[in-house]
Amino acid sequence: MSTASPATDGGDEDPAALPERRFEPDLRSMTRINLHPIASPMPLGFFTIAIASVMTGCLQLGIFGEEARTAVAFTVLPAFVLQLLVSFLAFGARDVIAATLMAVFAGSWLPYSLIMLSGAADGLKVLGVFNLALLCFGALMSAVTRPKRALWLVIAVSLPRWAATGLAGITGAEWLTRTSGALGLVVALVAMYTAFALMLEDMRSEQVLPIGRSGPAHLAVEGDLAVQLRNLERQAGVRRTL
């Protein structure tokens, strides 16, 4: 004769048999977040864009002859290193938009220089497709950089240049190459103005030339320390995962 043992549900389990729960203490009172102020790397980034754009624009306009391609490539190559440095510092300053933009600009100068130096077959056509890909990137970036009018303006004038350069590389049309060169000089002027305005602002601790910040970008400069630290615990480098 067998007897059935009574069924037990979750509420009748032996407390001793349950896994022990671990309660972590509240660490907020013991947590310290150290900030390391740095000089703004953005003027260097914009000056680099300006100088490299002048060199490539002059080549496209025919101011330099075809034999100057190698020399232009050598003068543009340092832009890759400088803008990569700017991007690294911007990531450290918690500015993902500026860091991403400068990193992509850095990545655009390197293939240009290498293709010009190597004289690779169909190099201009490959650069044409590459510039059209940059055009798509710039269109997306322009949608998120409006509060930072300086960045937005540089992207806005870069978009038609990327389009003209891309189409010129694919079609080989001379007038598109000349148009791209002229637009390159426009990019250089805008980037030069932005770099100079940012340097003056940093030196005098106030806006001297209009840059057009709005929204969060304006608060980041005009707000007090409490504004700078707002939501810091949820930012990359502080939270556990990206």
Side-chain angles (χ1 to χ4, degrees):
M1 181 176 180
S2 62
T3 60
S5 58
T8 60
D9 54 66
D12 297 331
E13 291 182 359
D14 184 1
L18 294 174
E20 183 182 354
R21 293 183 179 180
R22 299 179 60 185
F23 294 94
E24 295 184 357
D26 187 355
L27 301 179
R28 287 176 294 181
S29 62
M30 297 182 286
T31 302
R32 298 291 183 270
I33 299 175
N34 296 317
L35 302 178
H36 301 281
I38 62 172
S40 174
M42 298 309 294
L44 173 61
F46 286 123
F47 274 129
T48 303
I49 292 174
I51 295 172
S53 296
V54 167
M55 301 308 297
T56 56
C58 288
L59 180 63
Q60 291 174 313
L61 286 171
I63 297 175
F64 301 137
E66 288 297 315
E67 65 279 1
R69 285 181 177 271
T70 300
V72 171
F74 273 120
T75 60
V76 171
L77 188 57
F80 163 71
V81 179
L82 292 175
Q83 291 206 268
L84 194 62
L85 173 62
V86 171
S87 174
F88 176 78
L89 294 174
F91 275 120
R94 301 176 292 134
D95 193 335
V96 66
I97 294 178
T100 301
L101 179 65
M102 289 298 164
V104 172
F105 266 110
S108 70
W109 301 126
L110 182 60
Y112 174 86
S113 299
L114 294 180
I115 289 176
M116 291 295 102
L117 287 172
S118 65
D122 287 332
L124 293 180
K125 185 173 293 187
V126 171
L127 284 177
V129 176
F130 180 72
N131 276 274
L132 292 180
L134 285 176
L135 176 64
C136 297
F137 160 79
L140 294 175
M141 286 293 292
S142 65
V144 297
T145 55
R146 285 189 177 275
K148 298 187 173 188
R149 295 298 172 85
L151 285 177
W152 180 84
L153 190 57
V154 172
I155 295 175
V157 296
S158 297
L159 289 177
R161 194 201 184 188
W162 286 330
T165 304
L167 294 175
I170 293 174
T171 64
E174 187 68 20
W175 70 272
L176 282 172
T177 301
R178 300 291 188 232
T179 301
S180 176
L183 290 171
L185 298 184
V186 175
V187 172
L189 288 174
V190 174
M192 194 79 71
Y193 169 83
T194 304
F196 184 63
L198 290 174
M199 286 190 69
L200 284 179
E201 181 182 80
D202 191 67
M203 291 173 59
R204 301 187 183 182
S205 299
E206 62 180 1
Q207 181 174 289
V208 180
L209 296 176
I211 299 178
R213 290 189 183 93
S214 62
H218 176 74
L219 290 176
V221 175
E222 302 296 335
D224 57 17
L225 184 59
V227 174
Q228 309 303 312
L229 302 181
R230 186 178 299 165
N231 297 325
L232 182 62
E233 68 274 11
R234 285 186 285 275
Q235 295 188 10
V238 178
R239 62 179 188 260
R240 177 179 294 180
T241 64
L242 297 176

Short mmCIF file of all heavy atoms in Angstrom, two decimals, residues 40-99:
data_model
loop_
_atom_site.label_atom_id
_atom_site.label_comp_id
_atom_site.label_asym_id
_atom_site.label_seq_id
_atom_site.Cartn_x
_atom_site.Cartn_y
_atom_site.Cartn_z
N SER A 40 39.77 72.42 -26.11
CA SER A 40 38.93 71.96 -27.22
C SER A 40 39.79 71.62 -28.44
O SER A 40 40.59 72.44 -28.90
CB SER A 40 37.93 73.06 -27.60
OG SER A 40 37.21 72.68 -28.76
N PRO A 41 39.63 70.41 -28.98
CA PRO A 41 40.40 70.04 -30.17
C PRO A 41 39.73 70.48 -31.47
O PRO A 41 40.32 70.31 -32.54
CB PRO A 41 40.43 68.51 -30.08
CG PRO A 41 39.13 68.16 -29.44
CD PRO A 41 38.82 69.28 -28.47
N MET A 42 38.53 71.05 -31.38
CA MET A 42 37.77 71.35 -32.59
C MET A 42 38.42 72.38 -33.52
O MET A 42 38.35 72.23 -34.74
CB MET A 42 36.35 71.77 -32.23
CG MET A 42 35.57 70.69 -31.50
SD MET A 42 35.61 69.09 -32.35
CE MET A 42 34.71 69.49 -33.83
N PRO A 43 39.06 73.47 -33.00
CA PRO A 43 39.73 74.37 -33.94
C PRO A 43 40.78 73.66 -34.80
O PRO A 43 40.87 73.92 -36.01
CB PRO A 43 40.38 75.41 -33.01
CG PRO A 43 39.48 75.44 -31.81
CD PRO A 43 39.07 74.01 -31.63
N LEU A 44 41.54 72.75 -34.19
CA LEU A 44 42.52 71.99 -34.97
C LEU A 44 41.83 71.17 -36.04
O LEU A 44 42.29 71.12 -37.19
CB LEU A 44 43.33 71.08 -34.03
CG LEU A 44 44.28 70.09 -34.72
CD1 LEU A 44 45.34 70.84 -35.53
CD2 LEU A 44 44.93 69.17 -33.68
N GLY A 45 40.72 70.55 -35.69
CA GLY A 45 40.00 69.75 -36.68
C GLY A 45 39.49 70.57 -37.84
O GLY A 45 39.62 70.17 -39.01
N PHE A 46 38.93 71.74 -37.55
CA PHE A 46 38.39 72.57 -38.63
C PHE A 46 39.49 73.20 -39.47
O PHE A 46 39.34 73.33 -40.69
CB PHE A 46 37.47 73.64 -38.05
CG PHE A 46 36.14 73.12 -37.59
CD1 PHE A 46 35.72 73.29 -36.28
CD2 PHE A 46 35.31 72.44 -38.46
CE1 PHE A 46 34.49 72.81 -35.86
CE2 PHE A 46 34.08 71.95 -38.06
CZ PHE A 46 33.67 72.14 -36.74
N PHE A 47 40.59 73.63 -38.83
CA PHE A 47 41.71 74.15 -39.61
C PHE A 47 42.28 73.07 -40.55
O PHE A 47 42.67 73.36 -41.68
CB PHE A 47 42.82 74.66 -38.69
CG PHE A 47 42.61 76.09 -38.24
CD1 PHE A 47 42.68 76.42 -36.89
CD2 PHE A 47 42.36 77.11 -39.15
CE1 PHE A 47 42.50 77.72 -36.46
CE2 PHE A 47 42.17 78.42 -38.73
CZ PHE A 47 42.24 78.73 -37.37
N THR A 48 42.31 71.83 -40.07
CA THR A 48 42.80 70.73 -40.90
C THR A 48 41.89 70.52 -42.10
O THR A 48 42.37 70.30 -43.23
CB THR A 48 42.89 69.45 -40.06
OG1 THR A 48 43.73 69.66 -38.95
CG2 THR A 48 43.45 68.30 -40.89
N ILE A 49 40.58 70.55 -41.87
CA ILE A 49 39.63 70.43 -42.99
C ILE A 49 39.87 71.54 -44.00
O ILE A 49 39.89 71.32 -45.22
CB ILE A 49 38.19 70.48 -42.47
CG1 ILE A 49 37.86 69.23 -41.66
CG2 ILE A 49 37.20 70.62 -43.64
CD1 ILE A 49 36.49 69.28 -41.00
N ALA A 50 40.08 72.77 -43.50
CA ALA A 50 40.26 73.92 -44.39
C ALA A 50 41.50 73.76 -45.26
O ALA A 50 41.45 73.95 -46.49
CB ALA A 50 40.35 75.20 -43.56
N ILE A 51 42.62 73.40 -44.63
CA ILE A 51 43.87 73.31 -45.40
C ILE A 51 43.81 72.18 -46.42
O ILE A 51 44.20 72.35 -47.58
CB ILE A 51 45.05 73.12 -44.42
CG1 ILE A 51 45.21 74.37 -43.55
CG2 ILE A 51 46.34 72.84 -45.19
CD1 ILE A 51 46.21 74.21 -42.43
N ALA A 52 43.31 71.01 -46.00
CA ALA A 52 43.23 69.88 -46.93
C ALA A 52 42.26 70.17 -48.06
O ALA A 52 42.50 69.79 -49.22
CB ALA A 52 42.81 68.62 -46.17
N SER A 53 41.17 70.87 -47.76
CA SER A 53 40.20 71.21 -48.80
C SER A 53 40.78 72.19 -49.81
O SER A 53 40.47 72.12 -51.01
CB SER A 53 38.94 71.80 -48.17
OG SER A 53 38.28 70.85 -47.36
N VAL A 54 41.63 73.13 -49.35
CA VAL A 54 42.28 74.06 -50.28
C VAL A 54 43.19 73.30 -51.24
O VAL A 54 43.17 73.54 -52.46
CB VAL A 54 43.08 75.12 -49.49
CG1 VAL A 54 44.02 75.88 -50.43
CG2 VAL A 54 42.13 76.09 -48.80
N MET A 55 43.97 72.36 -50.71
CA MET A 55 44.91 71.63 -51.56
C MET A 55 44.19 70.78 -52.59
O MET A 55 44.53 70.79 -53.79
CB MET A 55 45.82 70.76 -50.70
CG MET A 55 46.64 71.53 -49.66
SD MET A 55 47.59 72.90 -50.37
CE MET A 55 48.69 72.01 -51.48
N THR A 56 43.18 70.03 -52.16
CA THR A 56 42.46 69.19 -53.10
C THR A 56 41.63 70.03 -54.07
O THR A 56 41.49 69.69 -55.25
CB THR A 56 41.55 68.20 -52.36
OG1 THR A 56 40.66 68.93 -51.49
CG2 THR A 56 42.37 67.24 -51.51
N GLY A 57 41.08 71.14 -53.58
CA GLY A 57 40.30 72.01 -54.45
C GLY A 57 41.16 72.63 -55.55
O GLY A 57 40.73 72.73 -56.71
N CYS A 58 42.36 73.05 -55.20
CA CYS A 58 43.26 73.64 -56.21
C CYS A 58 43.65 72.61 -57.27
O CYS A 58 43.77 72.94 -58.45
CB CYS A 58 44.52 74.19 -55.53
SG CYS A 58 44.24 75.71 -54.59
N LEU A 59 43.81 71.36 -56.87
CA LEU A 59 44.12 70.31 -57.84
C LEU A 59 42.94 70.09 -58.78
O LEU A 59 43.13 69.96 -60.00
CB LEU A 59 44.46 69.01 -57.11
CG LEU A 59 44.82 67.81 -57.99
CD1 LEU A 59 46.08 68.09 -58.80
CD2 LEU A 59 44.99 66.55 -57.14
N GLN A 60 41.73 70.09 -58.24
CA GLN A 60 40.55 69.87 -59.07
C GLN A 60 40.27 71.05 -60.00
O GLN A 60 39.75 70.86 -61.11
CB GLN A 60 39.33 69.61 -58.18
CG GLN A 60 39.38 68.27 -57.45
CD GLN A 60 38.24 68.12 -56.47
OE1 GLN A 60 37.95 69.01 -55.68
NE2 GLN A 60 37.57 66.97 -56.53
N LEU A 61 40.63 72.26 -59.57
CA LEU A 61 40.40 73.44 -60.40
C LEU A 61 41.46 73.60 -61.49
O LEU A 61 41.34 74.47 -62.35
CB LEU A 61 40.38 74.69 -59.53
CG LEU A 61 39.12 74.89 -58.67
CD1 LEU A 61 39.32 76.04 -57.69
CD2 LEU A 61 37.91 75.15 -59.56
N GLY A 62 42.50 72.78 -61.43
CA GLY A 62 43.55 72.87 -62.43
C GLY A 62 44.63 73.88 -62.09
O GLY A 62 45.51 74.16 -62.92
N ILE A 63 44.59 74.45 -60.88
CA ILE A 63 45.66 75.37 -60.46
C ILE A 63 46.98 74.61 -60.37
O ILE A 63 48.04 75.15 -60.71
CB ILE A 63 45.29 76.02 -59.12
CG1 ILE A 63 44.03 76.87 -59.28
CG2 ILE A 63 46.44 76.87 -58.59
CD1 ILE A 63 43.51 77.46 -58.00
N PHE A 64 46.91 73.37 -59.91
CA PHE A 64 48.05 72.47 -59.96
C PHE A 64 47.87 71.54 -61.16
O PHE A 64 46.75 71.11 -61.46
CB PHE A 64 48.16 71.62 -58.69
CG PHE A 64 48.29 72.43 -57.43
CD1 PHE A 64 47.58 72.08 -56.28
CD2 PHE A 64 49.13 73.53 -57.37
CE1 PHE A 64 47.70 72.82 -55.11
CE2 PHE A 64 49.25 74.28 -56.21
CZ PHE A 64 48.54 73.92 -55.08
N GLY A 65 48.96 71.22 -61.82
CA GLY A 65 48.89 70.29 -62.93
C GLY A 65 48.74 68.85 -62.46
O GLY A 65 48.85 68.55 -61.26
N GLU A 66 48.49 67.94 -63.42
CA GLU A 66 48.33 66.53 -63.08
C GLU A 66 49.58 65.95 -62.44
O GLU A 66 49.50 65.01 -61.64
CB GLU A 66 47.98 65.74 -64.34
CG GLU A 66 46.58 65.98 -64.86
CD GLU A 66 45.52 65.55 -63.86
OE1 GLU A 66 45.65 64.45 -63.30
OE2 GLU A 66 44.57 66.32 -63.64
N GLU A 67 50.74 66.51 -62.78
CA GLU A 67 51.98 66.00 -62.20
C GLU A 67 52.11 66.33 -60.71
O GLU A 67 53.01 65.81 -60.04
CB GLU A 67 53.19 66.56 -62.95
CG GLU A 67 53.39 68.08 -62.84
CD GLU A 67 52.51 68.88 -63.78
OE1 GLU A 67 51.71 68.27 -64.51
OE2 GLU A 67 52.62 70.13 -63.76
N ALA A 68 51.22 67.18 -60.21
CA ALA A 68 51.28 67.57 -58.80
C ALA A 68 50.44 66.66 -57.91
O ALA A 68 50.33 66.91 -56.70
CB ALA A 68 50.82 69.02 -58.63
N ARG A 69 49.83 65.60 -58.46
CA ARG A 69 48.97 64.73 -57.67
C ARG A 69 49.72 64.13 -56.48
O ARG A 69 49.20 64.08 -55.36
CB ARG A 69 48.42 63.60 -58.53
CG ARG A 69 47.32 64.02 -59.47
CD ARG A 69 46.81 62.83 -60.29
NE ARG A 69 45.71 63.23 -61.14
CZ ARG A 69 44.43 63.20 -60.77
NH1 ARG A 69 44.11 62.80 -59.56
NH2 ARG A 69 43.47 63.58 -61.60
N THR A 70 50.94 63.68 -56.71
CA THR A 70 51.71 63.05 -55.63
C THR A 70 52.02 64.06 -54.53
O THR A 70 51.89 63.76 -53.33
CB THR A 70 53.01 62.46 -56.18
OG1 THR A 70 52.70 61.48 -57.17
CG2 THR A 70 53.82 61.80 -55.06
N ALA A 71 52.41 65.27 -54.92
CA ALA A 71 52.73 66.30 -53.93
C ALA A 71 51.49 66.67 -53.11
O ALA A 71 51.56 66.83 -51.89
CB ALA A 71 53.30 67.53 -54.62
N VAL A 72 50.33 66.79 -53.77
CA VAL A 72 49.10 67.10 -53.06
C VAL A 72 48.74 65.98 -52.10
O VAL A 72 48.32 66.22 -50.96
CB VAL A 72 47.95 67.36 -54.06
CG1 VAL A 72 46.61 67.47 -53.33
CG2 VAL A 72 48.22 68.63 -54.85
N ALA A 73 48.92 64.75 -52.54
CA ALA A 73 48.63 63.60 -51.67
C ALA A 73 49.48 63.63 -50.42
O ALA A 73 48.99 63.35 -49.31
CB ALA A 73 48.84 62.30 -52.43
N PHE A 74 50.74 63.99 -50.56
CA PHE A 74 51.63 64.07 -49.39
C PHE A 74 51.22 65.19 -48.44
O PHE A 74 51.36 65.07 -47.23
CB PHE A 74 53.08 64.27 -49.84
CG PHE A 74 53.81 62.99 -50.13
CD1 PHE A 74 54.33 62.75 -51.39
CD2 PHE A 74 53.96 62.02 -49.15
CE1 PHE A 74 55.00 61.56 -51.67
CE2 PHE A 74 54.63 60.84 -49.41
CZ PHE A 74 55.15 60.61 -50.68
N THR A 75 50.70 66.30 -48.99
CA THR A 75 50.29 67.41 -48.11
C THR A 75 48.96 67.10 -47.41
O THR A 75 48.70 67.63 -46.33
CB THR A 75 50.15 68.71 -48.91
OG1 THR A 75 49.16 68.55 -49.93
CG2 THR A 75 51.48 69.12 -49.53
N VAL A 76 48.14 66.25 -48.01
CA VAL A 76 46.84 65.91 -47.42
C VAL A 76 46.96 64.77 -46.41
O VAL A 76 46.17 64.68 -45.47
CB VAL A 76 45.83 65.54 -48.54
CG1 VAL A 76 44.55 64.98 -47.96
CG2 VAL A 76 45.52 66.78 -49.39
N LEU A 77 47.96 63.92 -46.59
CA LEU A 77 48.10 62.75 -45.72
C LEU A 77 48.16 63.09 -44.23
O LEU A 77 47.54 62.39 -43.42
CB LEU A 77 49.35 61.95 -46.14
CG LEU A 77 49.54 60.60 -45.44
CD1 LEU A 77 48.33 59.69 -45.66
CD2 LEU A 77 50.81 59.93 -45.95
N PRO A 78 48.89 64.17 -43.81
CA PRO A 78 48.88 64.50 -42.37
C PRO A 78 47.50 64.83 -41.82
O PRO A 78 47.29 64.73 -40.60
CB PRO A 78 49.82 65.71 -42.28
CG PRO A 78 50.70 65.59 -43.47
CD PRO A 78 49.84 65.02 -44.54
N ALA A 79 46.56 65.22 -42.68
CA ALA A 79 45.20 65.52 -42.20
C ALA A 79 44.57 64.30 -41.57
O ALA A 79 43.77 64.41 -40.63
CB ALA A 79 44.34 66.03 -43.35
N PHE A 80 44.91 63.12 -42.07
CA PHE A 80 44.38 61.89 -41.48
C PHE A 80 44.81 61.75 -40.03
O PHE A 80 43.99 61.48 -39.14
CB PHE A 80 44.87 60.68 -42.29
CG PHE A 80 44.74 59.38 -41.56
CD1 PHE A 80 43.49 58.81 -41.34
CD2 PHE A 80 45.88 58.72 -41.09
CE1 PHE A 80 43.37 57.61 -40.65
CE2 PHE A 80 45.76 57.52 -40.41
CZ PHE A 80 44.50 56.96 -40.19
N VAL A 81 46.10 61.98 -39.77
CA VAL A 81 46.62 61.83 -38.40
C VAL A 81 46.03 62.89 -37.48
O VAL A 81 45.60 62.60 -36.36
CB VAL A 81 48.16 61.90 -38.41
CG1 VAL A 81 48.71 61.76 -36.99
CG2 VAL A 81 48.73 60.82 -39.32
N LEU A 82 46.02 64.14 -37.95
CA LEU A 82 45.54 65.23 -37.10
C LEU A 82 44.07 65.08 -36.75
O LEU A 82 43.67 65.25 -35.59
CB LEU A 82 45.78 66.57 -37.80
CG LEU A 82 47.25 66.99 -37.95
CD1 LEU A 82 47.35 68.27 -38.76
CD2 LEU A 82 47.90 67.17 -36.59
N GLN A 83 43.25 64.72 -37.73
CA GLN A 83 41.82 64.61 -37.43
C GLN A 83 41.50 63.36 -36.64
O GLN A 83 40.52 63.34 -35.87
CB GLN A 83 41.01 64.67 -38.72
CG GLN A 83 41.07 66.05 -39.35
CD GLN A 83 39.87 66.35 -40.22
OE1 GLN A 83 39.93 66.09 -41.41
NE2 GLN A 83 38.83 66.88 -39.65
N LEU A 84 42.30 62.33 -36.79
CA LEU A 84 42.12 61.16 -35.93
C LEU A 84 42.43 61.52 -34.48
O LEU A 84 41.74 61.07 -33.55
CB LEU A 84 43.03 60.02 -36.40
CG LEU A 84 42.72 58.63 -35.83
CD1 LEU A 84 41.32 58.18 -36.24
CD2 LEU A 84 43.77 57.63 -36.30
N LEU A 85 43.45 62.34 -34.27
CA LEU A 85 43.76 62.82 -32.92
C LEU A 85 42.61 63.67 -32.37
O LEU A 85 42.22 63.51 -31.21
CB LEU A 85 45.05 63.64 -32.96
CG LEU A 85 45.44 64.36 -31.66
CD1 LEU A 85 45.69 63.35 -30.54
CD2 LEU A 85 46.67 65.24 -31.88
N VAL A 86 42.06 64.54 -33.21
CA VAL A 86 40.93 65.36 -32.78
C VAL A 86 39.75 64.48 -32.38
O VAL A 86 39.08 64.72 -31.36
CB VAL A 86 40.53 66.34 -33.89
CG1 VAL A 86 39.22 67.05 -33.55
CG2 VAL A 86 41.63 67.36 -34.13
N SER A 87 39.49 63.45 -33.16
CA SER A 87 38.39 62.54 -32.85
C SER A 87 38.62 61.83 -31.53
O SER A 87 37.70 61.71 -30.71
CB SER A 87 38.24 61.50 -33.97
OG SER A 87 37.27 60.53 -33.64
N PHE A 88 39.82 61.38 -31.28
CA PHE A 88 40.15 60.70 -30.02
C PHE A 88 39.91 61.63 -28.83
O PHE A 88 39.31 61.23 -27.82
CB PHE A 88 41.61 60.24 -30.06
CG PHE A 88 42.08 59.61 -28.78
CD1 PHE A 88 41.74 58.32 -28.45
CD2 PHE A 88 42.87 60.34 -27.89
CE1 PHE A 88 42.18 57.74 -27.27
CE2 PHE A 88 43.30 59.77 -26.71
CZ PHE A 88 42.96 58.47 -26.40
N LEU A 89 40.35 62.88 -28.94
CA LEU A 89 40.15 63.84 -27.85
C LEU A 89 38.68 64.19 -27.68
O LEU A 89 38.21 64.39 -26.56
CB LEU A 89 40.97 65.10 -28.12
CG LEU A 89 42.50 64.91 -28.09
CD1 LEU A 89 43.20 66.19 -28.52
CD2 LEU A 89 42.97 64.49 -26.71
N ALA A 90 37.94 64.27 -28.79
CA ALA A 90 36.51 64.59 -28.69
C ALA A 90 35.73 63.46 -28.02
O ALA A 90 34.80 63.70 -27.25
CB ALA A 90 35.95 64.86 -30.08
N PHE A 91 36.12 62.21 -28.26
CA PHE A 91 35.49 61.09 -27.55
C PHE A 91 35.76 61.21 -26.05
O PHE A 91 34.88 60.96 -25.23
CB PHE A 91 36.01 59.75 -28.07
CG PHE A 91 35.29 59.24 -29.28
CD1 PHE A 91 35.97 59.02 -30.47
CD2 PHE A 91 33.92 58.98 -29.24
CE1 PHE A 91 35.30 58.54 -31.60
CE2 PHE A 91 33.25 58.51 -30.37
CZ PHE A 91 33.95 58.29 -31.54
N GLY A 92 37.00 61.60 -25.71
CA GLY A 92 37.32 61.79 -24.30
C GLY A 92 36.57 62.94 -23.67
O GLY A 92 36.34 62.94 -22.45
N ALA A 93 36.17 63.91 -24.48
CA ALA A 93 35.39 65.04 -23.98
C ALA A 93 33.89 64.76 -24.00
O ALA A 93 33.08 65.65 -23.77
CB ALA A 93 35.69 66.29 -24.80
N ARG A 94 33.50 63.53 -24.32
CA ARG A 94 32.10 63.07 -24.29
C ARG A 94 31.25 63.75 -25.35
O ARG A 94 30.07 63.96 -25.17
CB ARG A 94 31.48 63.26 -22.90
CG ARG A 94 32.19 62.52 -21.80
CD ARG A 94 31.60 62.83 -20.43
NE ARG A 94 31.85 64.21 -20.04
CZ ARG A 94 30.91 65.00 -19.53
NH1 ARG A 94 29.69 64.58 -19.36
NH2 ARG A 94 31.21 66.24 -19.18
N ASP A 95 31.87 64.09 -26.50
CA ASP A 95 31.13 64.70 -27.61
C ASP A 95 31.12 63.72 -28.78
O ASP A 95 32.00 63.75 -29.64
CB ASP A 95 31.77 66.02 -28.02
CG ASP A 95 30.87 66.84 -28.94
OD1 ASP A 95 30.02 66.23 -29.63
OD2 ASP A 95 31.00 68.08 -28.95
N VAL A 96 30.14 62.83 -28.79
CA VAL A 96 30.13 61.75 -29.78
C VAL A 96 29.88 62.27 -31.19
O VAL A 96 30.41 61.72 -32.17
CB VAL A 96 29.07 60.69 -29.40
CG1 VAL A 96 27.66 61.26 -29.47
CG2 VAL A 96 29.19 59.46 -30.28
N ILE A 97 29.12 63.37 -31.32
CA ILE A 97 28.84 63.90 -32.66
C ILE A 97 30.11 64.47 -33.29
O ILE A 97 30.46 64.15 -34.42
CB ILE A 97 27.74 64.97 -32.58
CG1 ILE A 97 26.41 64.33 -32.16
CG2 ILE A 97 27.59 65.68 -33.92
CD1 ILE A 97 25.28 65.32 -32.01
N ALA A 98 30.81 65.32 -32.55
CA ALA A 98 32.05 65.89 -33.07
C ALA A 98 33.09 64.81 -33.31
O ALA A 98 33.81 64.84 -34.32
CB ALA A 98 32.59 66.94 -32.10
N ALA A 99 33.18 63.85 -32.40
CA ALA A 99 34.17 62.78 -32.54
C ALA A 99 33.89 61.94 -33.78
O ALA A 99 34.82 61.60 -34.53
CB ALA A 99 34.18 61.91 -31.29
#
